[in-house]
Amino acid sequence: MEPAEIKSEKKKVVAVVGGGLVGALNACFFAKRGFDVQVYESREDIRTAKVVKGRSINLALSHRGRSALKHVGLEEKIVSQGIPMHARMIHSLNGKQSPIPYGKKGQFILSVDRANLNKQLLTEAETYPNTKLNFDHKLQDWNAETGAMTFVRADGTKQQILADLIVGCDGAFSSIRKQFLRRSRFNYSQTYIPHGYMELTMPPRDGDFAMKPNYLHIWPRNTFMMIALPNLDKTFTCTLFMPFENFEEITTGDEVLEFFQKYFPDAIPLIGVEALKCDYFRLPAQAMVSVKCSPYHIADKCVLMGDAAHAVVPFYGQGMNAGFEDCIVFDEIMDQFNDDLSEVLPEYTRVRVPDDHAIADLAMYNYIEMRAHVNSKWFLFRKYVDNFLHFLMPRTIVPLYTMVTFTRTRYHQAVERWQWQNKVINRGLFFCGTGAVLGGSYLLFKNPPNVDKIHIDVEKMWNRLLSTGTS
Ligand code: FAD
Ligand code: EGO
């Protein structure tokens, strides 16, 4: 008898609920492990749909996300269809553009098209014979005791389905998570931030990109922020972040223009006056929510991943990357515990919660810091300081953005290391400061200045540097 036949238990069924970015990738991971995978997605198949509605058109893909794609053999393909962004390009109010590299040569983030990425992942999942994609299946409810799920079709018919494992990848407003909320000892918090976002398209100019393509363009204006990521069709997708109350204050095309004239004048001719006046009113500003919860599992039955487990605000460009990394972490624990779900699920919660909570906090921290005091000068200054300190002590000081974006350092360890680095930097500054004061006093004593007053207000900058540390 063949060994395979001795172990003739039926293949376990994994139901992946949600065929978005994380669900489709997860389907590949589970299919690779030999499970019978059923994906249930509420929308129609986006590969054949005529109109694709959805959030943000493009996303920044970085190391963690790429690592996960590599596991399922998709990294090269996706990377080849992305646009590398080697540096941020900071736009000052006077129109000056200043690039600051992300790191060494070869360190870059990628602008990828969300819809295209989703399509490729679905197509990849379908190449496994043990995977089936079920579109037009909206999870209505499920029973945490029996594991039975109820799906509603577009025609209103309902369907009951059972699975050995339910993987909730149904996004920030997860229906799977609703059953978790009814249970004792489930921690949950959700915060809507006062900002909304709006996407505007910057068309090509003379058949080419209207701005330099290989950059993440950023207009830091404290509470008003705009970014632009390049697309393959030579357009840029600009995302304007602003408090809802300011969005609501602008009610006419002329007011849009006036607002841009004041804060983003260089973008007006690039987006186009008429387009700007019109696009602004096409869709209302969208909300952003941060969700943290724990545990991520119920017994050996159900687990949450991606935004369903941790929606983060987009101010670190890590939401999808973190969700993709979830898939790797789960896969590694499956290896470690031989697919024994009763061991794997609690371990996954134990290992992953601290890291997902850390990135949720970091993203929120960036939001608060940027809106409070990041204008273009401060942005440039801070990134120069980061790069300079890293250059001076490459092994001791690694910028937080670098650890988060270009390594797989566990998020919670990146935070710990960052706090340690800040202590080192502050001590260094203290000694330098003491040295400077002593040295300065000596020099002043030897060469008394012939001006009455020397007033340099470094104090303000100094205090800000000390109080906010360095990212
Ligand atoms: P989703 O993409 O939301 O997918 C969930 C899927 O589940 C959807 O297909 C939905 O139709 C389906 N679904 C929902 N309910 C049900 C149901 N009841 N039954 C069946 N199916 C259901 N991340 C980055 O890494 N880099 C970035 O640059 C970046 N930029 C962003 C910019 C903005 C403005 C926003 C809002 C987010 C950004 N993100 C970014 C975050 C990223 O979009 C998310 O983290 C990512 O989409 C999460 O993937 P997901 O599969 O978990 O959820
Ligand atoms: C001082 C200076 C403190 C997303 C700069 C903090 C985020 C923050 C939304 C950028 C890059 C990918 C992004 C940097 C900081 C994406 C990102 C950053 C934005 C907004 C974004 C950077 C999509 C914060 N990465 N980032 O260092 O370049 O620094 F500006 Cl609004």
Side-chain angles (χ1 to χ4, degrees), residues 115-328:
N116 180 50
L117 177 57
N118 206 159
K119 288 175 189 174
Q120 305 263 6
L121 286 166
L122 289 169
T123 298
E124 181 66 19
E126 248 178 0
T127 61
Y128 296 89
N130 47 330
T131 299
K132 184 162 187 294
L133 307 180
N134 307 275
F135 295 100
D136 176 27
H137 277 69
K138 186 180 171 68
L139 181 96
Q140 187 182 49
D141 202 3
W142 68 288
N143 184 318
E145 306 304 316
T146 64
M149 297 173 283
T150 309
F151 289 96
V152 199
R153 312 291 311 273
D155 60 12
T157 56
K158 287 184 186 177
Q159 206 175 348
Q160 291 265 341
I161 287 158
L162 277 169
D164 295 293
L165 174 67
I166 300 170
V167 186
C169 301
D170 51 347
F173 306 99
S174 172
S175 301
I176 290 287
R177 202 174 56 213
K178 285 192 185 120
Q179 285 303 319
F180 283 67
L181 280 159
R182 301 185 46 197
R183 298 168 70 85
S184 172
R185 301 187 60 203
F186 179 67
N187 299 299
Y188 181 81
S189 76
Q190 135 181 343
T191 308
Y192 279 94
I193 58 173
H195 276 59
Y197 73 91
M198 180 179 283
E199 289 172 321
L200 302 163
T201 303
M202 185 183 287
R205 207 158 65 156
D206 305 325
D208 206 358
F209 285 102
M211 305 183 293
K212 287 194 171 166
N214 295 106
Y215 296 87
L216 169 54
H217 291 264
I218 307 181
W219 290 256
R221 303 284 185 271
N222 297 71
T223 193
F224 308 133
M225 307 165 230
M226 191 164 74
I227 62 173
L229 276 73
N231 297 307
L232 282 178
D233 64 3
K234 296 190 162 48
T235 62
F236 279 91
T237 303
C238 306
T239 309
L240 170 64
F241 298 94
M242 174 160 89
F244 274 102
E245 48 183 84
N246 296 97
F247 272 116
E248 283 152 15
E249 274 166 18
I250 299 171
T251 54
T252 67
D254 288 334
E255 283 167 359
V256 178
L257 218 56
E258 204 181 314
F259 171 78
F260 268 76
Q261 198 57 255
K262 190 158 176 200
Y263 296 102
F264 312 106
D266 62 329
I268 298 176
L270 302 178
I271 298 175
V273 173
E274 290 314 311
L276 192 57
K277 282 180 167 178
C278 183
D279 288 1
Y280 186 93
F281 300 100
R282 221 190 282 282
L283 277 173
Q286 305 290 303
M288 287 169 280
V289 70
S290 180
V291 173
K292 287 204 274 181
C293 68
S294 85
Y296 288 163
H297 71 287
I298 294 179
D300 59 353
K301 268 266 141 253
C302 180
V303 62
L304 301 174
M305 293 197 210
D307 278 16
H310 48 80
V312 308
V313 291
F315 298 93
Y316 228 115
Q318 282 292 310
M320 164 191 65
N321 286 288
F324 280 9
E325 194 178 48
D326 287 348
C327 302
I328 311 181

Side-chain angles (χ1 to χ4, degrees), residues 21-22 25-26 29 59-68 296 304-313 316-330 348 352-353 355-361 363 404-405 407-409 411:
L21 299 177
V22 174
L25 176 65
N26 235 339
F29 270 91
L59 302 146
L61 172 69
S62 52
H63 181 68
R64 294 171 203 266
R66 285 179 64 165
S67 304
Y296 288 163
L304 301 174
M305 293 197 210
D307 278 16
H310 48 80
V312 308
V313 291
Y316 228 115
Q318 282 292 310
M320 164 191 65
N321 286 288
F324 280 9
E325 194 178 48
D326 287 348
C327 302
I328 311 181
V329 171
F330 192 88
Y348 176 72
R352 196 57 181 163
V353 165
D355 292 320
D356 286 334
H357 285 197
I359 192 59
D361 292 342
V404 166
T405 308
T407 76
R408 279 203 57 216
T409 308
Y411 287 126

Side-chain angles (χ1 to χ4, degrees), residues 373-384:
H373 48 232
V374 178
N375 53 26
S376 54
K377 261 197 189 137
W378 183 243
F379 198 113
L380 291 165
F381 174 69
R382 285 291 298 275
K383 296 301 169 184
Y384 282 133

Side-chain angles (χ1 to χ4, degrees), residues 94-107:
N94 64 12
K96 185 163 185 266
Q97 301 188 24
S98 320
I100 320 168
Y102 273 118
K104 296 181 280 294
K105 244 198 144 54
Q107 270 186 335

Side-chain angles (χ1 to χ4, degrees), residues 2-13:
E2 293 290 308
E5 284 175 62
I6 300 170
K7 220 182 82 181
S8 72
E9 53 191 272
K10 221 174 122 263
K11 262 196 289 183
K12 280 198 171 168
V13 178

